[in-house]
Amino acid sequence: MPKTSNPLSALADDPQGLSLGLELPPGTLLGTARRPLLWVSDGPVGAGALASYRSRPGLAAAGLQAVLFQERRGLEEWWLTKGLRPERMSDPDDHHVEPVLREFWNAVIPDPEEEGEDGEELIAPFGRDWPGLAESGSVGAAGEDPETAACALADELIGTGFLPSPRLALVPAGRGADVPTAMGWCGPANHENDTALISTVLRSWEDRFGARVVALGFDELHVSVAAPPRTLAHALPVAAEHFAFSPDNIWQGSGSVRAYADEAVTGSGHWGFWWD
């Protein structure tokens, strides 16, 4: 297939993105002149900013995805200082969600000889065998529009101070789930070096639960969910997927898949992940 031009290249001569209908605030292009990797606003943005840009037809037409970047003390402007590695990522098209999650699950379930009953309780009601994919939520039925849910979550996280000074970022990617891979994000490196596998799971959650990538930190990922599980029975296999995807959510968080399903999955429109 012939290589298409990078849509960010237009911002070199048109910093506001007027040719794309964007009217961007002051920002910085990262990458090289021949291959811009992403654009990040120079200053923080407020509530409504993500909705303003994600709703513009020129953004999708140009092949760009808008997300938020968050900082924390000691990791200010991590996208500049900690390095992004797009060259080491594979293509999400080359992977399938079931084997990816099965392999993740097999890698993180407790060793029965070391953990004993505590390990069994951690993954209960499941055993050591991969439990399979959870059933889809009610996407597009009576549920909320996924993009509306994404922008509402962004405003909520900004308004509550969870994201105290987020930056707006534009990343060339065909869909939001592919943003971490396209930018070469290394947040899950202590769990998985190839972020394309992370995007493979995010693609599936987009389709099954109306999930959308909203914000990324150095090692954090925040996702809106338009059609979350509404019952504990439905949430349990989703929690098993989360444990496979981001085990620190359970290991250093809720303490068990069952508790996590009840606290963080059932009816929750915000799935947050982090990797220690």
Side-chain angles (χ1 to χ4, degrees):
M1 294 290 291
K3 292 183 179 180
T4 57
S5 60
N6 189 314
L8 289 178
S9 299
L11 300 184
D13 298 319
D14 177 18
Q16 286 188 279
L18 298 179
S19 61
L20 303 176
L22 297 180
E23 299 179 73
L24 295 170
T28 300
L29 279 171
L30 279 68
T32 66
R34 296 184 61 184
R35 188 188 177 191
L37 186 59
L38 54 91
W39 174 94
V40 186
S41 64
D42 290 339
V45 296
L50 192 67
S52 174
Y53 289 100
R54 285 176 77 140
S55 64
R56 301 191 186 202
L59 192 77
L64 293 171
Q65 301 292 330
V67 295
L68 299 176
F69 284 176
Q70 63 168 333
E71 305 171 289
R72 69 171 187 259
R73 182 172 297 179
L75 289 169
E76 293 83 3
E77 296 189 332
W78 52 264
W79 51 90
L80 295 175
T81 60
K82 295 301 180 181
L84 301 172
R85 301 287 184 268
E87 70 282 352
R88 82 180 193 189
M89 308 306 173
S90 64
D91 189 334
D93 286 343
D94 294 336
H95 307 285
H96 299 281
V97 65
E98 180 101 43
V100 166
L101 281 172
R102 183 187 297 113
E103 185 172 343
F104 283 172
W105 174 267
N106 290 337
V108 300
I109 53 175
D111 186 328
E113 295 184 2
E114 295 181 4
E115 303 292 341
E117 292 184 1
D118 289 340
E120 293 178 4
E121 181 59 29
L122 185 144
I123 58 175
F126 307 107
R128 294 182 59 79
D129 292 338
W130 161 240
L133 293 181
E135 294 182 1
S136 301
S138 300
V139 181
E144 190 174 8
D145 171 70
E147 282 300 314
T148 300
C151 296
L153 177 63
D155 289 351
E156 178 185 339
L157 296 180
I158 294 172
T160 59
F162 190 94
L163 299 179
S165 55
R167 306 289 188 91
L168 177 69
L170 302 181
V171 182
R175 56 193 293 180
D178 292 351
V179 162
T181 302
M183 62 182 280
W185 183 61
C186 299
N190 289 338
H191 176 57
E192 175 54 56
N193 284 319
D194 185 0
T195 308
L197 303 183
I198 300 299
S199 286
T200 297
V201 179
L202 291 172
R203 284 181 173 191
S204 181
W205 288 345
E206 279 186 347
D207 296 337
R208 285 185 289 147
F209 302 105
R212 296 292 186 270
V213 173
V214 170
L216 297 97
F218 170 67
D219 55 4
E220 298 177 45
L221 174 67
H222 297 280
V223 177
S224 63
V225 190
R230 297 297 179 184
T231 66
L232 182 60
H234 187 192
L236 279 166
V238 178
E241 293 187 25
H242 286 205
F243 177 52
F245 182 80
S246 178
D248 287 322
N249 280 32
I250 285 82
W251 283 339
Q252 301 185 51
S254 300
S256 73
V257 168
R258 192 188 302 274
Y260 177 79
D262 185 45
E263 297 168 2
V265 180
T266 306
S268 177
H270 173 203
W271 292 350
F273 304 97
W274 65 286
W275 293 266
D276 192 3

